[in-house]
Structure formats: C-alpha cells, structure tokens
Amino acid sequence: MIVRLGFVAMSLQVENASPSRTMTFANFSKLNDREAGIRKLERIAEENLRSTLRILKHCKASDIQMYRFSSKLIPLATHEDLLDWNPFEALAPAFQEVGEFVQKHGIRVSFHPDHFCVFSTPRPEVLAKSELDLLNHILMLEAMGLDEATKCNIHIGGAYGDKVVAGERFVRQFSSLSPRFKHRITLENDDKTFNVRETLEAAEQVEVPMVLDIHHHSVNAGDISDDELYEHLWPRIVQTWDKERERLGIASTSQLPPKIHASSPKSLSDPRGHADHVEAEPLVQFLRHAARNTEYLDCMLEAKSKDEALMKLIEDLRQLEASAEGIKVLDGGRVEISTD
C-alpha cells in the first residue's frame, strides 16, 4: 500500500509565511473609511494566498503531496457586518495561481471548516451560519478552479442531549443542501460524540466519503473492537471512497484514495490534545491492517509541529525500515506499507 503524508496549514520550515494573517472586526470598526478597510482586508488575504503558494512550493520541493489549506485565508469573510463584501473579484488572480500550482503538481488539498460548522444543530440561526461558512470554503475552492474531488471535511456536530435525534437531524438537514454543497464534503468521526460506526452510518446515508481519524477513535471508540474496525468498518469506509470515485468518473484509486487523519495524544492527562509529533509505531500498526485491502491511502498529520512533524515521522519510518520488514520510505512524503 502506498501512503502519502500531509500536514495542516502552517509551515515551521518556511519563514514569514503564515497563511492565516487576520484583522479583528474591532480594529476594522475603528477605521474611518470602510472602503479603505475592505481594501486592507483584501491585501491581507492576498498575502495569505502568497504564503500558501510559498508553502505549496515547499511541499513540492520536499516531495509532500498533501496539504490542508488554512480556513482563515480571507479575514472576516463571513462576518455578519461584511456580507455585502465580495472579495473574490480582487483575489481572483491569487486564487487562480494557487489552484494552477496544485493541479500542475498533483498535490491533494482540502479544507477543514471550524468546529462551529455543524449540521446537527437544532438552532436555525446556527444552521444558517454553518451553511454560510461552508459556502465560503466552496467559493475559495471554485476560485482556485478545483473540482469536486477537492473536499471540505466536517464533523456531524453535537449531540444536544440526544445523540440519536441529533444524528437523524444531521442527515435530514445535510440532505436538504444543494449538490454544490454536498459534493464537496467528507465526514469525520470526532473525539467526544459520534464514533466511527455512527459517523460511517451517517456518511453512507448522505452518500459522502468518510475520513477516519484514528486518534479520535482511540479516545472515542465506544464499543467498537479492533476486529470490527479492521474487518468490517474500514472496508465500508473504503467503499464510500469507491462510490465517490465512481460518481466523479475517476478510474484509478491512486487519484482519489481513502483518507485518514493521524495524530498522537498530547499527554496522559490530555489524551484528546494533539502532540507536537506523531508516534510512528501506532500509525504503522493501523496501516498494516489497512494494507490488507487498500492499495493507496492518504494520511493527514494533525500534529502541532506541522511539516516538521511530517519530516520527523519520515525519519522515524526510515529507522523502522532498517529494522523491520514491510516498510519502505519512497521519498520525503510517501511510504510503502505491507501487511503484517
């Protein structure tokens, strides 16, 4: 099985390249000239996109073929007092340049809207804000010229006192979205509420691919045994991606593989928090099981040390390669894993 590794948003290797520079609405409100303030927001967004492009070039130079965009590329993009502002005309060239680089070099990119993007909510105003937030992410992908193979990853949301009812409400409210929204989504299990089985059932009902977060599963496994995860749930997760490739007319698994998230617990006292780096051996244990029925797999590392964590993991895997069978480091962002 060929595994590609990626990282999230920030680079610790590329200096002065934050893709998340911002301005608070309080500071925006202090400006006497609203139009000048909007132009400043657009300049900040353009700087964020330039930084994103620099990080993507760093990925290319380092053989890293996965990257998650910052959701904060456009400051105040969905603020209720700026809904009359359309930043995309001014930012079109910068977005286009990012999209062209991604497509030219075959880098798999994605977004992960913030935790307040929830479709299980019972509150209409929260649902409306969730749709607005998701629309902003979709508009950014469309401005980059990236098709529906490029996804936004979300969680089901909260239980609101009754997880079964909340899950049903998610399915109902998500299903009412237009195809423009639904076809951009992957669904991920979370670390407190909806476990792998529950998330997979929802993903199957609304017909979107599922992203398995193995750290979230370790702290929110419910009654799911290792045998159920590996023998029953994982093959079904893979099938959600098979169906999505079929819908998009993508013939090769390598072009849109199943995707997982990996991170390590921050500490014994904070098992849900993300550590600076990713422990190699627990990840390899999962990958060996997945390799039984999966040819290609993409793994997003959610570590605090970002690209440095990815590079350290590659070095750790090189050490395992020297002492264990079934691990082969292919380059700075890919490994080959055989079954145990």
Side-chain angles (χ1 to χ4, degrees), residues 31-49:
L31 300 174
N32 294 326
D33 187 332
R34 189 174 189 272
E35 286 303 312
I38 286 176
R39 300 290 86 78
K40 185 173 182 179
L41 290 175
E42 291 172 350
R43 288 196 299 273
I44 294 171
E46 191 169 8
E47 289 176 10
N48 288 339
L49 287 163

